[in-house]
Amino acid sequence: MTMKHLLLILSLFAAVTLSAFNRPVTPVDSLPAYYESIDGTSGKELMDAIQLVAKIGYRTDDFRYDSIWLAFQHTDLRPDGYIWEIYSDCDFVYEKDRTSNTTQTGECKGYNREHAMCQSWFGTTSLAGKQMSSSKKNSPGSDIFHIYPASYGMNSRRGNRPYGEVQTAANTSGNGTLYGTPVATISVANTVAGAYVEGTINMSTNVLEPADEYKGDIARSYFGTMVKWAGEWTFNRVDLGQVIFDATIDADTHYGPENNFGFTDYGLALMLKWHRQDPVSQKEVDRNNGIQLTQGNRNPFIDYPYLAEYIWGEMAGQTLDFDMLLCSADERFQLDHSNGYLGQSISMPIDTVFWMLGDEVIDYSYVYHGSQIKYLPQEPASCSTTSTHFMGWTTQPISGTSMQAPDALYSKVHDFPAVQTNTYYYAVFAEAKHTEQTGQTISLNKTDSTAWTFTALKPTRNSTDGDYWLLVKSASITSPQVDLSMLDSIAFTIRSYQSKKNIAILVDGVNIGQVSAATNTMQRYIWSAPELTGTRSLLFTSPDATASYGPGISEISLYLGGQQATYTHYLTHCQLSTGVDAPSVNNPSTKVLQNGQLLIMRDGHTYNAQGALIQ
């Protein structure tokens, strides 16, 4: 038989076998329901609940070790069509370069199937004494959660040695994978073992250290495989396996918090460190979908990476609040940056920044980790200093240095429209170069407005916007007499009613300007005054009002005594100094405005306003 005929037969076999890979892939919006059974559990109960979910759809019928060759087409192809090999930068062609030939040497001479959790570590016998079949079906020997395409040369170099961090490299692959003597001791903070855990390799061995971009992949492969097979198989049957996995686990000892849920201190420190250091990428999301298509089940720690913290990390022992987790496939998730937690866990080196949500103060990471703001922020209570003044909230960072406010600047809670899904709200501050003199601001909530004159105003109230006046036909508001040469700008909080949205500003009967509110919204506007002279009053009327309706108004502020605040020095957040248990900040970041965007500079890196790394 010729090689051409052999390849044709293999191709036909692949086509027939791949037709059996037709398991449905769970849509992103269905994943919360897919995992709902784990909500409200903790500790061993949570691990058991995750294990049941990790087995959903798993093919115990005909998915075997040979099936992995075919599954790689769905799980491990790079965007350019080559095999995605995590230990090197070789351009392997899917069918042509796969090999089981153990005589192959060199980094790019062919690829095979690499067990990230070495097969010799879990042997051929389950804890119940069941022998692994020759096809490795229904065992960790064929579980693609932890089986990757790998250069035969790299696979052979690793052998059955553990992962680790390399101190002195004997070999370095094309993509930066290191092989050599290990850093003997690894440590990590906030784990199931306590506030701090340190582990040491207790035997002589070289280790393999993957490139940084794949360390989290390996850790989550370990988490997913361990949880799925916990209680059925053990992963420490040879000495080198006992570097990573607890050697006391046997048929009578199961996975629990007392033994790090199956890890040695070294294995826990290494895997949790790598999991945190290298968050979920698009590669992992795609691979997880490919695994479900072929093998039938999903890796929970790729879908919801913060689950690892509830088993091995900072939330160990606490009851899972599933509403605080964000799926890595959700469009709000910051791939390569986020840990998928919607709470107050900080995972980036940015100074502590707080937001007001309802009556609660929350930190910057709530926004950074991909959450939407679910409630309307209140005006910050203690963020003003002698050099800054709270101007309002906006849905996008403001730009430029002009005195004009953002297009949508909301000054009060009731100014907001309906809360928009997936929208960030920014607190806007400006350098306070102006002064607000007593009696120069009117508001329904103030009683010191006697110097203002009101004619024919119609008061009203609604549940969305609260109290305000309607500036109906013939109604007017007249300010006290002020030195107009000191008038820099006027701020209005206005509620429009369709076409009834214009407010005219007059001095001695002469129209000097007009403010127009957006249709059917209540917003705050800042109008820059022209150069005027004399001590005179300003008159505010509505040219398009009717006898029943006109634009609503709840506040007018006259800014006097200097230039109205520019936006050259503005912030999109503030740090509260009281009432908050804030971690110390050793090296605060620098905030700069560049090309109309707020950038955060820290430790030689640049982040955008959401905390995503730019460079």
Side-chain angles (χ1 to χ4, degrees):
M1 180 182 293
T2 67
M3 179 59 70
K4 180 178 180 180
H5 289 140
L6 176 61
L7 290 175
L8 177 60
I9 290 172
L10 288 173
S11 298
L12 291 172
F13 172 75
V16 171
T17 309
L18 281 171
S19 67
F21 289 167
N22 57 2
R23 297 297 195 272
V25 174
T26 305
V28 175
D29 57 4
S30 297
L31 284 172
Y34 189 92
Y35 286 96
E36 65 182 356
S37 61
I38 69 176
D39 192 24
T41 59
S42 62
K44 181 64 163 60
E45 182 186 8
L46 173 60
M47 182 170 181
D48 292 343
I50 295 174
Q51 182 181 58
L52 291 177
V53 176
K55 291 181 176 182
I56 294 175
Y58 177 66
R59 298 180 62 159
T60 60
D61 50 359
D62 60 355
F63 193 87
R64 56 195 68 212
Y65 194 47
D66 283 343
S67 303
I68 289 174
W69 287 123
L70 305 170
F72 280 162
Q73 293 183 81
H74 299 285
T75 60
D76 290 275
L77 289 184
R78 299 187 325 218
D80 61 7
Y82 290 109
I83 282 290
W84 206 319
E85 203 271 294
I86 62 174
Y87 295 154
S88 70
D89 56 0
C90 306
D91 292 335
F92 289 127
V93 176
Y94 162 69
E95 190 166 8
K96 180 175 74 70
D97 292 326
R98 71 186 191 192
T99 179
S100 298
N101 185 353
T102 57
T103 64
Q104 292 280 11
T105 60
E107 189 171 322
C108 294
K109 297 295 182 62
Y111 74 93
N112 60 7
R113 298 157 293 186
E114 151 78 336
H115 289 81
M117 297 170 69
C118 302
Q119 186 171 312
S120 62
W121 296 359
F122 50 82
T124 60
T125 307
S126 72
L127 286 171
K130 179 182 178 181
Q131 288 292 314
M132 184 186 299
S133 68
S134 59
S135 68
K136 303 176 186 177
K137 183 177 69 172
N138 196 22
S139 76
S142 62
D143 190 341
I144 200 171
F145 271 13
H146 76 111
I147 300 175
Y148 292 86
S151 156
Y152 179 77
M154 293 298 297
N155 195 357
S156 177
R157 180 177 296 161
R158 181 200 176 193
N160 65 347
R161 296 172 183 85
Y163 291 114
E165 295 186 352
V166 171
Q167 178 171 290
T168 303
N171 299 96
T172 302
S173 78
N175 78 342
T177 297
L178 303 176
Y179 174 79
T181 58
V183 174
T185 301
I186 302 292
S187 61
V188 70
N190 299 326
T191 76
V192 66
Y196 179 86
V197 66
E198 181 176 88
T200 301
I201 290 183
N202 54 11
M203 59 187 68
S204 177
T205 180
N206 283 341
V207 296
L208 191 78
E209 179 179 353
D212 289 346
E213 64 185 295
Y214 300 121
K215 286 176 177 171
D217 303 47
I218 295 299
R220 287 177 285 276
S221 292
Y222 271 46
F223 295 156
T225 307
M226 271 189 72
V227 167
K228 182 181 180 304
W229 296 102
E232 298 180 49
W233 293 77
T234 188
F235 297 99
N236 52 27
R237 291 179 181 258
V238 299
D239 287 347
L240 291 177
Q242 295 174 23
V243 170
I244 302 292
F245 298 107
D246 187 348
T248 66
I249 292 181
D250 52 27
D252 299 316
T253 306
H254 297 290
Y255 296 78
E258 69 282 355
N259 55 25
N260 298 335
F261 286 102
F263 282 117
T264 63
D265 284 352
Y266 175 86
L268 171 63
L270 182 70
M271 292 301 156
L272 194 57
K273 178 181 179 182
W274 284 4
H275 168 67
R276 292 170 175 172
Q277 175 183 321
D278 173 34
V280 170
S281 64
Q282 187 64 54
K283 174 189 184 298
E284 286 182 90
V285 172
D286 294 340
R287 189 173 200 269
N288 203 20
N289 289 332
I291 289 174
Q292 187 179 24
L293 177 70
T294 56
Q295 184 173 279
N297 56 336
R298 302 185 66 84
N299 186 333
F301 301 99
I302 295 175
D303 281 334
Y304 289 95
Y306 199 72
L307 283 177
E309 298 291 347
Y310 277 91
I311 300 293
W312 293 283
E314 61 188 3
M315 302 291 280
Q318 298 192 36
T319 300
L320 174 66
D321 181 358
F322 193 67
D323 288 339
M324 295 304 292
L325 303 186
L326 185 65
C327 179
S328 59
D330 191 296
E331 63 181 5
R332 295 169 290 161
F333 188 92
Q334 298 271 336
L335 287 166
D336 301 308
H337 296 289
S338 178
N339 68 2
Y341 184 55
L342 301 184
Q344 299 183 9
S345 175
I346 297 175
S347 67
M348 289 188 64
I350 295 179
D351 54 341
T352 306
V353 180
F354 293 89
W355 292 73
M356 297 293 293
L357 289 185
D359 295 325
E360 297 181 359
V361 178
I362 62 171
D363 69 21
Y364 179 86
S365 64
Y366 188 95
V367 175
Y368 159 63
H369 286 305
S371 171
Q372 66 190 63
I373 288 182
K374 300 178 181 178
Y375 308 100
L376 302 181
Q378 292 183 338
E379 180 175 331
S382 57
C383 292
S384 295
T385 68
T386 57
S387 62
T388 61
H389 176 74
F390 175 69
M391 303 300 295
W393 299 93
T394 181
T395 54
Q396 60 184 3
I398 58 179
S399 61
T401 60
S402 70
M403 292 187 291
Q404 187 169 352
D407 291 336
L409 183 63
Y410 313 106
S411 64
K412 307 286 184 185
V413 172
H414 67 258
D415 290 349
F416 277 80
V419 178
Q420 302 173 44
T421 303
N422 304 336
T423 298
Y424 300 114
Y425 293 93
Y426 300 91
V428 178
F429 291 79
E431 185 178 355
K433 294 182 179 179
H434 63 262
T435 59
E436 289 186 49
Q437 298 179 5
T438 303
Q440 305 307 314
T441 298
I442 62 167
S443 168
L444 282 176
N445 298 320
K446 290 189 176 182
T447 59
D448 59 351
S449 302
T450 55
W452 293 74
T453 302
F454 314 110
T455 303
L457 295 176
K458 184 178 179 180
T460 188
R461 163 191 286 272
N462 66 43
S463 58
T464 302
D465 301 324
D467 296 324
Y468 53 95
W469 291 296
L470 291 179
L471 204 58
V472 296
K473 187 175 183 179
S474 301
S476 65
I477 300 173
T478 305
S479 78
Q481 288 201 346
V482 295
D483 182 355
L484 295 181
S485 65
M486 299 292 289
L487 179 66
D488 297 306
S489 58
I490 305 171
F492 303 83
T493 302
I494 308 171
R495 177 66 162 91
S496 67
Y497 284 95
Q498 297 180 1
S499 62
K500 284 72 175 173
K501 57 185 180 182
N502 296 308
I503 293 179
I505 308 160
L506 296 87
V507 175
D508 296 336
V510 177
N511 191 325
I512 62 170
Q514 181 169 287
V515 176
S516 182
T519 302
N520 290 325
T521 61
M522 190 161 188
Q523 295 178 308
R524 193 171 193 259
Y525 298 84
I526 298 179
W527 176 81
S528 296
E531 291 187 9
L532 300 167
T533 59
T535 300
R536 292 176 286 178
S537 298
L538 296 102
L539 179 71
F540 304 92
T541 65
S542 177
D544 51 17
T546 67
S548 301
Y549 290 100
I553 190 163
S554 65
E555 174 248 355
I556 301 176
S557 297
L558 308 181
Y559 290 123
L560 305 168
Q563 290 186 349
Q564 202 276 320
T566 70
Y567 290 98
T568 305
H569 307 290
Y570 79 94
L571 305 174
T572 58
H573 52 246
C574 60
Q575 183 166 333
L576 301 181
S577 58
T578 59
V580 177
D581 183 16
S584 60
V585 179
N586 298 321
N587 184 14
S589 61
T590 300
K591 304 164 188 71
V592 299
L593 187 67
Q594 178 177 307
N595 298 326
Q597 291 188 341
L598 180 77
L599 302 179
I600 299 172
M601 320 292 291
R602 181 184 173 93
D603 296 334
H605 297 289
T606 303
Y607 305 88
N608 66 15
Q610 287 80 31
L613 180 67
I614 296 175
Q615 63 183 28

